[in-house]
Structure formats: structure tokens, C-alpha cells
Amino acid sequence: MTQTAERHDRSNRLSVTRAGGQLVADYWDNLFAAREAGKQIVWYNGGALNPIFQAAGLAWCHGEAFAARLAAQRLEGPAQLAGAEYGYNAELCSYSRTHLGCSVLTLQGASLQSGEGEHTGVVGVADQRELASRLPSPDFFVNNYAGCSTGQQWDGISYRVFGKQLPIFNISHPFLWGNKPDAGYLTGEEWEEASGFVEGQLRELIAWLETQTGRPFDWDALSQSMDYIKRAAELRREGLDLCKAKPAPATFWDWIACVAPINFLPGDQALVDYFAGVRDEIKQRLDAGVPGVQGERYRLYFDGIMNWNKLGFLSRKFAEHGAAVLAGRYIHNAFWQEPHLIDVENPLRGMAQHYLLCPTNHGSRTLDYLTLRDCREYDVDGIVFHSTRTCRAFTGPQRLLARSALNTLGIPAIFFEGDVADASFYKEEILESRLVAMLEQIDMRRQRGEHTGALGALGPARS
Amino acid sequence: MTTALEKLSAVARDPRGYVEDWRMRHPGRLVLGVLPMNFPRELALAAGTLPVVVQDDQKPVTEGRSLLAEFYCGYTRNLADQAATGRFDLYDAVLMADHCIQLIGAADVVRAILPGTPVFFGMLNSSMNDSWGPARVVAMMGEFRTELERLTGEPVTGKALSDAIAVHNRDRRMVRRLFDDRAAGSAVLSPVQLQDIVTSAMIMDPAEHAGLLAEALAGASAARGGATAAPPDHRVRVHLSGHLCHAPRRELLEVIEASGAVVVDDDLYHGRRHVSTDVEEDGDPLEAVARWYQQRNVNIPCPTRVQQDADWDSWLLDAVRRSGAEAVIHLLPKFCEPHMLYYPELRKALEAAGIPQLQIETEHEGIPLESFRTRIEALVERAHRTRAVPA
């Protein structure tokens, strides 16, 4: 670690993402003040339901996002400690463990504040300073988790931690396993059936929200919000496509910094402006020949959820080796990644389809298709798998994907262990030694005059 | 001469032996690997196949290590290993109804490395309060039936399904009676014997299982000279809770009873949970199988389901009161996320009720039995101290 800090920083992150950081900070500030502003508050997990909540006039808190935020700011400790004291095992999904710890702290905070505490819902008064946040307690829960069974159970337990007093709505998502012969990415009988099923549940959710809020749902507001989100998503895809250039003008780490805006910020002009800014800065860099990594020598794919408390560190670490991490399942196959599916006049089906397209909701056949496709398109030399210790959903198919990439494209892969929101699982020496070994392997092949990128791979690996 | 009970134990410990024998006796018929915990065996039996709940065969994970991460639960890593080392050759196809993400991971491995083995995943709606849930479950049961018809090339008739339901119910009732007797204080079978009986029920043709079980019980009764009650047992009465999907190691069960405790009840999958619920025998049999799925989460709530009006914690308290258990041992397979999530709710409820409890985290490879023994003995001591002092 110290070695990395002492070496020259060759990463060149986009400057525009700082503006995104401000948008996100403003969002959280608004959420923390939502109770005082007279808003009802919904806690939710899984797919991005925020356009529906926005149209319903609610304030929304995405559980994983809050856990990720705490981890990114290195403020996850008090919540995880509260969760551990409550009985949650350290091997449990650290998103859920952190968020459930927040629930425990919220309740402790409420009980400390006699009388009005329940309504102000301040996260553990005693821990407020460390958390640097004030998460308001929910009025109700909505679960929208595809792929990972733990996600659904997590909100079921949040409901219990809050004493089974708050309403909860669940959306069930069929796992896109692919039983039928015509099953494929965005195609086949199963895909259409699942899309219709989830769309129907979204209609039920909206009716349920009308009951919770006592107001008719604003369908025009939903269309408007989805219009902004669709435009932002299209700009995001444009920017991603521009990063196929050599050298790449921006990297996976820049796109990680853009996750929060696309995942839960309100659909509005500010969101569109932000992603226009991202696309424009990338384009300017392309025109000026400015790379995302100084002296790009290697192009890599990253598979795994982000290790949120290591974003800056990892971006510098890979850059110092001349490794540009360009693409990844968490970026390219998540977060409104198929904007053409969204019909802004009738947005529910496209929204349902995006919830189903959660990158943990596919069988390995589809993931194999997506991973190899992206490796080819970005002409990567190797894959780095973040073996995310407490996320079984993301790690499940990784070994199969590594085998397939080697056998089909001839590109190597390494695994390193870390976690989404628990820094204790990160193993620096393992990543360093394996990364160096893989890059040396790529160098050796180049010295032998072999092609190392995925783009030119025509068949099985050469032995 | 091998007793009926020994035959059941032999099947539990060597599923392959039973399956190979069954194949010889039923040439041309399919053997299906069924993944826990909610696939309705009745449907597969009605299709003329032998549905076998794939067991953790307790062999060390070797090849499987390169297919699933080490922080997957031991059962799913064992499944991957069974597939990678050829032990899945026992099955002509694999069927799965549950969407535990770790189980999906294991099934995906099976599908990827055994492309010639069909792996069908029909996801049963696991949010049990969804108003659309029951209709979805009926529809999925229909899809299972269609898949079975495709696999066998024969229709699954309503009559065949009704017959399969009846024979399964008969077997379940016989096994459940053993658990009820044990909770009522007349247990004559050890936890290992009971576990073997349940495990063999997951593997065998239910008619054969019921026949052997009836024979075993008659034999046990004769050995006791017709006495129906077990002799008084002054050990601490404990309830075993948890251990979903696969069976706890037999040696752990033996250590529990060798440490001054006697197991009086459980909610283990390889225990009462598996036999908790019968399928209704009147009405449409497919709909009855769907209702069975819903009802068993009411009869013994499972942390893999989400149901706001079915509480595992309050069920556990009631079970403890019914059996007179003086302590609860939570058996938590390492990395089992549903159990990890629900455990604090169980702990809170038992603590509030003043019931001593102990959590034991089990691992696939290597269990520290002596360490467990010390902790169980401490629990037993604690339970002894909380016993009412005789007047």
C-alpha cells in the first residue's frame, strides 16, 4: 500500500466526476432533511425504483447506496459494529450488514430521544458524528431485488428489526436462467414473460404507493423523469463507447464514480447535464490525445462489485502498472444500460426489463456472452475478478467466466479478494503479486510476438 | 441379518448403492437429482422417475474449489465438486425450485460442466405474501410437470400425481410420528437414526421407504417388549434449529448427546422440516402441490422465504414449549446467508424468554468436535442451573 502511495500517480481521472459528487452530496443532504420537509421516506433495495418514488413525491433511500457511501467515506464502522452486536455474522453480505446496522442505530437513536425520537429518526445520536450522516427512519419499505436471494431476505429482516410495524412491498423477479431453447440476452419467451410479470408488479406497486401517500400517482411526472434518465443513460453509453479508443480517454474507475448519479439521483435536467459533461470531457480528451492512464500498456476488464473503500487506491494501483481498466460487468451491464428499451410515454415495461437486467440475475450462459462481447469490444488483455467476499451473487459465475475467457479468447485472468463495504477482506499483497504475474505473462506473450488482446482472438487459447 | 433400520441407514450413507439397485430393478426409467428444499418430489414420482434429493456426500472439496469461491456454503461447493469429479453421473437430469443464490451458483456449475445433463430451474415465488404468488406457484408446478413430460416422453396424469401424493403423505406421516413421539418424551431412536430415516426418505421410492420404516418400527417395538415409552432420561432436553439444505455431521449429533443433552425436537431440513406438511389429497392435485409449498412455510417458517405473517422465532418458542426443551442449539452452516440474516431474531426471542442457547457454526471440512463438546457442556451446565429446584 505504501509503495503505491510513494510511486508516481499515473491515473488521470475525469475532473467532471467532482460535479457528480456534489450532486450526490446534495441528494443525501436533501434526504437527511426530508422529515423536516414533510416528506414520506421509503427505504428500498435492488433496482432503481427512484423514478417511481420521485413521481410519487417521496424521499428515497437506497440501502446498498447508503452502505456504499459509508464505506466510500470510511464511516461504515459504527453501523457494522452495531450490526455485529445485534448478531449479524461478519460473513453476511456487508451491504446488508451495514444497512441493518443503520437500522439498529436508527432505532437506538429513536429510543434515546424520548417522544419525538421516532419521528425525527436520527441515526444513533451517539454515533452521529462518526457516521457524518443523519439517515431518517423509513415510513415503509419496498424491495426490488433481482438475482440475489439475500436482497429479498434483507428487507424482510429490516421489516422485523423495525418491529413489524411498517408496511412493506415486494417485487419478485424471475431469475433469467434460460430453460427454453430460445432463451438469450433480451430475447426469448422467458424474457418476455418475465418482463410482463415484473411490469404488472410495478403497476401494483404504484397502486400501493397511492394508498401509502393518499395521493394519486403522477404518471406524467414518471414519464418526465424517465425521459431525463433515458437521455442520461444514452449519454453514458456514448461515453462508454468512446472509451474503446487506444489509449482509453477514461477508465472503469471514472465510471464507478458515475454509479451513484445514474443509480439513484432524481431524473431531471441536472442528471442529463452531468452525463453530457462526462461524455464531453471524454470527447475532449480523445481529440486532445489525453489518456485515462499515462503510458497505457495493458487493457483490462474488471468483474465484480466495487470495493467502495478502495476506489481511489485501486485506480492509482492499476495505473502505476500502466494498466487501464476499461470495462466491467458492474458498469457495462448495469444501471439503465439498455436505454433503447425505455418508452418514455409508457415506461413501466422498460423499467421492469432493466430491473431484470441486474448483472446478478443472469445464468452464466448469458454472462458469458456479455463478458466475452465486452472483452472483445474493448480489446482487453486480461480480466481481474474481484472475488467479493460477502457477495455470492456476483462471485458465483466468476470461475466459469475465467475459464471461458481463457478457452475462447485466450486471455488470462486473476482473482483478488476484497469486499463491497468491509475493508477487512481486502488482501493487498495477493492483488499486487497476481496482477504483476498476469502483466508479466502478457509481456512474455508480446515478446514472443503473440497477439494478447481479445479483439483478434479467433478460437481457443494457444497452449 | 440386516435389520430394516440398518437398511435405511445404509441408503442414507450410500445413495449411489440404492440408486444403482433401483436402476437395475427399473430399467429405462430416469433418476433425477433434485436440489433442496422445495422441489415437489410427488411430481417427479408421478412421472415415473426416481427423484433423489442430492445429498452433501461429505467428501472433501477438490476440483470444486476451482469452480466456486471458498466462501460459498459447504453444500454448494460439495455439489460443484460432485459434478466436477463425475459423481453427478448418478442423475439423468437435475431439477431445482429454490433461488438461493449459492444454490443457483452450484447449479450453474453443473450445467456448464455437464452439458449433456439437463438442468431445469423453475423458480418458486419466495415472497409468500405476494397476492399474485399462489397463481405463480401453480403455474410453475405446471412447468415442472411439462418439463418432466418432456424428459420422460410420457404424460403425467392427474391419477398418477394423486397416487404419488398419497404414497408420499403416508411416508411423511410415519416419519413425522417419530418426531412427535420424540417431542412427547417417548423417543427410542437416536438423532443419528432419525436423520438417517429422513435422509433415506429423500432418496428412496416413498413406498419402499414406508415399507422398510414400518418394518423397522415393528422391530424396535418388539425389541422393547412392546413398551411404547422410552425410559426416563434426565439429560438436558435440547431443540436443534437450522441447518438448511444439508444434514449436520452425524458425529456432531453424537457429541451433543454425549455431552449431557438429549435431542427432543428440531427444525432441521434433515429432520422435522422435511416432513412437516402433507399435500392435500382431495381437489386438483397440481394445485394441492402448490398449496403444500405455501403451507409448509407456515407450518415451519424458513428463512429462505419472506413472509411477514410467519415467524420462525415465534414458531421456535412454541416448539420449545411443546417439547419442553430446556435449551436450543442453533446449527448454522458457515456462509448460509438466510440463516445468518434471521439468526439475531431467533436469539432475541429466546433471550427474552430466558431459554439458554448456543450457536454452532458448522463447516464442510473439519469440525472441531472437542471445542464443540466443551461449548455444549457449558450450555448443558447453564440449562441445569436454570432447572427449577424441586420443592
Side-chain angles (χ1 to χ4, degrees):
Chain A
M1 262 182 293
T2 48
Q3 285 179 338
T4 301
E6 288 164 5
R7 289 176 189 168
H8 173 57
D9 181 7
R10 294 165 62 184
S11 67
N12 183 22
R13 300 267 300 276
L14 293 175
S15 59
V16 70
T17 54
R18 280 195 287 275
Q22 187 57 52
L23 288 174
V24 172
D26 292 345
Y27 158 82
W28 287 112
D29 285 344
N30 285 335
L31 176 63
F32 300 153
R35 184 70 68 204
E36 290 75 13
K39 288 214 165 189
Q40 286 181 294
I41 296 155
V42 55
W43 283 16
Y44 72 111
N45 278 313
L49 286 169
N50 51 295
I52 290 177
F53 299 144
Q54 183 181 353
L58 299 166
W60 58 90
C61 175
H62 189 246
E64 296 125 299
F66 192 66
R69 175 178 184 266
L70 291 178
Q73 296 182 320
R74 309 199 178 185
L75 296 171
E76 73 279 24
Q80 291 182 359
L81 183 60
E85 287 177 349
Y86 192 76
Y88 296 115
N89 190 304
E91 296 289 356
L92 182 62
C93 159
S94 61
Y95 274 161
S96 71
R97 187 156 42 91
T98 307
H99 188 240
L100 286 164
C102 289
S103 298
V104 172
L105 288 173
T106 300
L107 288 167
Q108 287 174 359
S111 67
L112 283 172
Q113 299 181 358
S114 57
E116 61 185 26
E118 283 186 12
H119 298 292
T120 53
V122 174
V123 171
V125 169
D127 299 288
Q128 231 182 79
R129 193 169 301 158
E130 289 141 283
L131 282 168
S133 61
R134 297 176 297 122
L135 180 62
S137 59
D139 292 296
F140 43 86
F141 303 101
V142 177
N143 185 270
N144 189 35
Y145 232 106
C148 179
S149 49
T150 299
Q152 188 179 77
Q153 292 152 11
W154 162 8
D155 275 338
I157 293 297
S158 293
Y159 168 80
R160 292 174 185 281
V161 170
F162 277 89
K164 301 179 63 174
Q165 301 296 313
L166 303 177
I168 182 167
F169 189 96
N170 182 81
I171 299 167
S172 293
H173 300 79
F175 189 90
L176 302 176
W177 174 258
N179 284 315
K180 302 272 169 57
D182 66 348
Y185 183 64
L186 305 184
T187 187
E189 183 185 338
E190 285 179 13
W191 167 245
E192 295 300 331
E193 196 279 334
S195 301
F197 174 48
V198 176
E199 180 187 356
Q201 291 176 83
L202 293 180
R203 292 188 194 284
E204 297 275 353
L205 168 65
I206 287 168
W208 185 84
L209 289 174
E210 287 180 323
T211 304
Q212 301 304 319
T213 62
R215 295 187 297 271
F217 185 74
D218 189 339
W219 289 93
D220 290 338
L222 178 64
S223 286
Q224 191 176 44
S225 170
M226 287 308 299
D227 187 26
Y228 288 122
I229 285 174
K230 179 174 182 173
R231 284 155 59 193
E234 287 167 343
L235 290 162
R236 179 174 174 269
R237 287 238 62 112
E238 278 185 50
L240 284 166
D241 286 345
L242 292 173
C243 293
K244 292 172 185 170
K246 296 182 182 180
T251 65
F252 174 84
W253 316 110
D254 293 307
W255 294 109
I256 285 290
C258 296
V259 164
I262 196 66
N263 187 33
F264 59 82
L265 288 190
D268 57 18
Q269 187 59 47
L271 185 71
V272 176
D273 291 346
Y274 172 69
F275 279 99
V278 172
R279 190 269 320 266
D280 290 346
E281 185 175 352
I282 291 172
K283 199 158 185 319
Q284 286 161 13
R285 282 187 172 197
L286 266 182
D287 293 343
V290 177
V293 169
Q294 293 172 23
E296 175 187 306
R297 278 178 55 78
Y298 313 97
R299 298 168 67 84
L300 302 179
Y301 182 93
F302 189 96
D303 188 277
I305 301 188
M306 188 55 207
N307 197 320
W308 286 108
N309 39 37
K310 295 281 177 208
L311 171 54
F313 174 80
L314 289 175
S315 69
R316 292 189 294 276
K317 174 170 199 62
F318 281 86
E320 82 181 25
H321 291 286
V325 181
L326 298 167
R329 179 164 34 135
Y330 192 55
I331 293 300
H332 286 71
N333 298 305
F335 308 117
W336 305 114
Q337 69 272 38
E338 301 287 0
H340 69 279
L341 295 175
I342 299 168
D343 173 1
V344 295
E345 296 303 319
N346 185 19
L348 287 188
R349 189 172 183 85
M351 294 171 75
Q353 290 179 321
H354 276 92
Y355 305 146
L356 286 162
L357 290 177
C358 169
T360 61
N361 198 42
H362 304 287
S364 63
R365 284 180 183 167
T366 298
L367 289 178
D368 193 55
Y369 158 75
L370 294 171
T371 305
L372 298 187
R373 178 198 68 183
D374 292 340
C375 284
R376 283 191 181 101
E377 289 187 359
Y378 285 80
D379 196 19
V380 304
D381 303 304
I383 304 180
V384 177
F385 286 96
H386 177 206
S387 191
T388 316
R389 174 75 183 204
T390 68
C391 183
R392 282 90 194 172
F394 229 96
T395 50
Q398 285 183 332
R399 267 70 173 171
L400 297 176
L401 296 176
R403 283 182 177 212
S404 177
L406 182 64
N407 293 334
T408 311
L409 303 177
I411 59 174
I414 60 166
F415 285 77
F416 77 99
E417 194 167 296
D419 194 40
V420 287
D422 188 337
S424 66
F425 289 118
Y426 177 72
K427 308 287 190 304
E428 163 63 10
E429 290 73 17
I430 288 178
L431 172 57
E432 175 68 17
S433 58
R434 291 178 183 173
L435 177 61
V436 168
M438 181 168 73
L439 300 181
E440 284 179 359
Q441 182 188 356
I442 293 167
D443 283 340
M444 296 271 292
R445 291 180 59 184
R446 284 175 176 165
Q447 284 170 17
R448 292 199 298 264
E450 295 175 17
H451 177 77
T452 58
L455 187 58
L458 298 175
R462 289 147 288 194
S463 56
Chain B
M1 180 181 158
T2 308
T3 66
L5 197 55
E6 288 168 340
K7 287 178 186 168
L8 292 173
S9 290
V11 172
R13 291 155 198 241
D14 179 23
R16 177 173 292 272
Y18 175 79
V19 169
E20 287 173 350
D21 177 62
W22 187 91
R23 278 192 192 278
M24 284 179 58
R25 292 186 282 123
H26 303 88
R29 284 166 63 181
L30 300 180
V31 176
L32 306 181
V34 169
L35 300 187
M37 293 184 289
N38 287 291
F39 184 84
R41 289 181 86 231
E42 288 83 350
L43 273 170
L45 188 76
T49 71
L50 176 67
V52 175
V53 179
V54 182
Q55 301 296 310
D56 174 355
D57 66 9
Q58 305 197 349
K59 294 195 170 128
V61 177
T62 55
E63 298 285 321
R65 292 175 67 86
S66 62
L67 293 164
L68 280 180
E70 62 276 16
F71 42 83
Y72 261 51
C73 76
Y75 175 63
T76 50
R77 284 184 291 121
N78 179 258
L79 290 180
D81 197 65
Q82 289 188 44
T85 56
R87 282 127 73 197
F88 253 76
D89 65 347
L90 206 54
Y91 313 111
D92 299 301
V94 177
L95 293 116
M96 179 169 73
D98 289 272
H99 86 295
C100 166
I101 195 63
Q102 298 184 55
L103 208 53
I104 287 177
D108 230 350
V109 166
V110 174
R111 181 168 65 163
I113 64 176
L114 300 175
T117 302
V119 180
F120 185 88
F121 173 31
M123 184 171 154
L124 290 175
N125 212 70
S126 54
S127 176
M128 311 300 270
N129 292 112
D130 291 354
S131 60
W132 48 86
R136 293 285 300 182
V137 173
V138 172
M140 186 50 71
M141 294 301 180
E143 287 198 36
F144 282 133
R145 182 173 61 186
T146 303
E147 176 63 12
L148 288 160
E149 289 173 341
R150 193 189 67 76
L151 285 167
T152 63
E154 299 289 336
V156 177
T157 65
K159 165 87 170 53
L161 182 53
S162 294
D163 291 347
I165 288 169
V167 72
H168 267 102
N169 278 347
R170 177 174 172 246
D171 193 36
R172 267 193 292 259
R173 277 195 293 271
M174 290 176 67
V175 178
R176 196 163 59 238
R177 174 77 183 273
L178 298 174
F179 285 91
D180 291 342
D181 287 349
R182 181 174 73 169
S186 56
V188 291
L189 297 171
S190 72
V192 171
Q193 287 173 317
L194 266 178
Q195 181 172 291
D196 282 349
I197 288 170
V198 174
T199 306
S200 53
M202 295 176 177
I203 297 162
M204 295 177 70
D205 176 288
E208 290 181 9
H209 187 265
L212 269 181
L213 184 55
E215 193 182 323
L217 296 179
S221 176
R224 295 195 307 272
T228 54
D233 191 326
H234 300 292
R235 289 176 294 178
V236 167
R237 298 167 66 78
V238 300
H239 177 111
L240 302 184
S241 180
H243 232 279
L244 310 171
C245 288
H246 68 295
R249 298 258 173 170
R250 297 181 185 92
E251 52 268 40
L252 173 57
L253 300 178
E254 287 165 351
V255 161
I256 289 170
E257 291 222 326
S259 302
V262 58
V263 177
V264 295
D265 205 358
D266 70 57
D267 54 61
L268 311 177
Y269 177 59
H270 281 68
R272 186 184 281 280
R273 187 180 295 279
H274 182 66
V275 294
S276 71
T277 307
D278 290 339
V279 183
E280 295 164 16
E281 294 189 31
D282 46 4
D284 180 84
L286 196 72
E287 290 180 3
V289 171
R291 280 195 297 277
W292 162 83
Y293 165 71
Q294 303 270 347
Q295 186 58 39
R296 68 200 298 257
N297 198 56
V298 175
N299 290 357
I300 302 184
C302 178
T304 63
R305 310 294 98 179
V306 171
Q307 184 165 358
Q308 283 81 48
D309 54 359
D311 307 328
W312 190 13
D313 41 346
S314 54
W315 180 91
L316 181 56
L317 284 177
D318 289 343
V320 163
R321 288 182 188 120
R322 277 196 300 270
S323 69
E326 299 165 280
V328 171
I329 298 178
H330 306 277
L331 297 178
L332 191 159
K334 195 172 177 73
F335 306 123
C336 176
E337 288 207 293
H339 199 168
M340 285 193 279
L341 271 170
Y342 214 112
Y343 167 70
E345 303 304 310
L346 303 176
R347 185 183 64 86
K348 259 194 319 187
L350 292 169
E351 210 166 81
I355 297 163
Q357 57 188 311
L358 171 69
Q359 187 208 80
I360 287 180
E361 193 175 63
T362 66
E363 298 196 45
H364 181 72
E365 271 133 12
I367 54 171
L369 273 183
E370 291 314 307
S371 165
F372 287 166
R373 187 193 303 276
T374 304
R375 293 166 60 193
I376 296 162
E377 285 174 350
L379 176 75
V380 166
E381 284 301 314
R382 190 176 159 214
H384 269 302
R385 285 201 301 275
T386 59
R387 272 184 178 173
V389 179

